[in-house]
Amino acid sequence: MAELPRIEPDIRRAATMSSRFYSDPALFELARERAFARSRRLVGDESRVKVPGQVHPFTLLEDLLDEPLLLTRDRDEMLGRE
């Protein structure tokens, strides 16, 4: 199983990652699963759903996660994502 590289917090000892990190499909899938899928992302501003009941469909990180989502504003004017 692939492992993500360790990141050295001390910049004086840090080095660039091997080229394998940028080209190995297994590492790409691991990064998608462990980093991108679990972190917060800006999906848009509230101007995309100005009116109560309005819905804005979008794809989160197109060509990376390809997660179809909806940005919504409910009748109580609360923002949400489905």
Side-chain angles (χ1 to χ4, degrees):
M1 178 173 182
E3 260 188 55
L4 292 175
R6 181 180 174 282
I7 297 176
E8 174 60 59
D10 183 349
I11 190 69
R12 295 169 295 181
R13 295 175 47 197
T16 59
M17 292 185 260
S18 97
S19 60
R20 178 176 170 250
F21 178 77
Y22 302 99
S23 59
D24 185 322
L27 285 173
F28 175 70
E29 288 302 317
L30 188 61
R32 278 178 49 161
E33 179 184 304
R34 290 195 186 167
F36 296 112
R38 296 180 184 179
S39 59
R40 294 180 180 252
R41 298 281 176 245
L42 176 66
V43 298
D45 60 66
E46 54 186 78
S47 69
R48 296 189 184 263
V49 286
K50 294 179 184 178
V51 180
Q54 191 170 10
V55 175
H56 172 70
F58 65 97
T59 301
L60 181 63
L61 297 175
E62 196 165 347
D63 296 326
L64 183 62
L65 291 181
D66 291 320
E67 183 72 25
L69 295 170
L70 296 173
L71 181 61
T72 62
R73 183 178 296 273
D74 68 17
R75 291 188 180 120
D76 297 324
E77 298 202 24
M78 297 295 295
L79 293 175
R81 112 178 119 66
E82 302 295 324

